[in-house]
Amino acid sequence: AFTHALLAGLSSGSNQQGLLAKFIHLEAQDSDKVSPRYLEAHFGMSRAANRAHTPARVPEFCGYRLSDAPFSLRAQDRDGQNHTVRIRGKIDRIDLEFPAPTDPAEPAHAVIYDYKTGNLPSGPKLKEGWFLQLPISILAAQELSGAAYRVIAAGYYQLQFPRNVGKKHLLGSREHAERHYFKEMKTV
């Protein structure tokens, strides 16, 4: 039943459109000028970082490697003491929008997506800072990519069958709020 619900509509003769068919349709109809560039972009998850694992237990990492080293988040507490938190993680998808050929000095703009198969955090709670995944992903991707691109937003790509498939809750700066992918949250 699950396989049918997932794959329905991919072969001829099917009247239903499953989750994968809806996702493909949405991607094909996407009018954004961004294109998926990196899938499963991970950082701080190298074999050297996982020395405690025996060779048989070391997880294999697919996708794009942003960095072997963890992302270091530095902050100061109320008493003025400096602290560093090292974070390892994986970003599901990084889309890039390349600059116009007339502006070669401008870096590509990046939009990060986290695939969600369950319920999404509410937009207001996300903006209030109750959920840290997207802001940390923005900071990590920007620091680890250097000058290669400029991360301007992060959001969720909901894959909840059968009703909700689409890009939701983009979190970004006011400077880029006029870009069409901020205004058009699409759902199939």
Side-chain angles (χ1 to χ4, degrees):
F2 172 75
T3 303
H4 176 73
L6 179 66
L7 302 177
L10 293 179
S11 61
S12 61
S14 178
N15 295 347
Q16 296 177 329
Q17 190 177 33
L19 179 62
L20 190 54
K22 285 184 178 186
F23 175 79
I24 291 169
H25 175 77
L26 179 65
E27 287 293 304
Q29 301 300 317
D30 198 342
S31 64
D32 292 347
K33 293 180 183 176
V34 296
S35 58
R37 186 62 168 212
Y38 305 111
L39 301 175
E40 299 291 321
H42 54 88
F43 51 94
M45 300 176 86
S46 71
R47 289 185 187 268
N50 291 299
R51 289 184 197 268
H53 295 285
T54 62
R57 296 182 67 207
V58 174
E60 291 298 319
F61 298 107
C62 299
Y64 179 74
R65 182 177 62 231
L66 279 173
S67 170
D68 284 333
F71 166 61
S72 294
L73 185 61
R74 295 168 187 86
Q76 204 172 62
D77 65 19
R78 293 179 189 170
D79 299 328
Q81 298 293 318
N82 292 323
H83 298 276
T84 300
V85 176
R86 288 177 184 77
I87 301 170
R88 298 174 188 189
K90 193 181 305 179
I91 297 170
D92 289 339
R93 175 172 160 174
I94 302 175
D95 289 4
L96 295 182
E97 176 185 28
F98 293 97
T102 56
D103 195 4
E106 177 73 19
H109 291 159
V111 179
I112 293 170
Y113 290 102
D114 178 54
Y115 291 120
K116 289 290 186 205
T117 57
N119 294 328
L120 297 179
S122 74
K125 288 205 178 245
L126 178 65
K127 289 179 183 177
E128 291 171 8
W130 287 93
F131 299 93
L132 300 177
Q133 181 181 12
L134 295 182
I136 288 173
S137 294
I138 290 171
L139 293 171
Q142 187 59 67
E143 181 176 307
L144 298 173
S145 69
Y149 51 81
R150 192 163 130 208
V151 181
I152 62 169
Y156 295 110
Y157 203 127
Q158 190 167 28
L159 300 170
Q160 189 177 40
F161 185 75
R163 58 189 186 279
N164 291 321
V165 178
K167 298 175 181 177
K168 313 270 177 107
H169 296 327
L170 272 175
L171 182 64
S173 68
R174 292 184 194 275
E175 174 186 0
H176 297 284
E178 293 304 312
R179 295 195 179 274
H180 61 96
Y181 42 83
F182 279 97
K183 293 180 179 177
E184 299 176 19
M185 293 291 96
K186 295 170 224 55
T187 304
V188 172

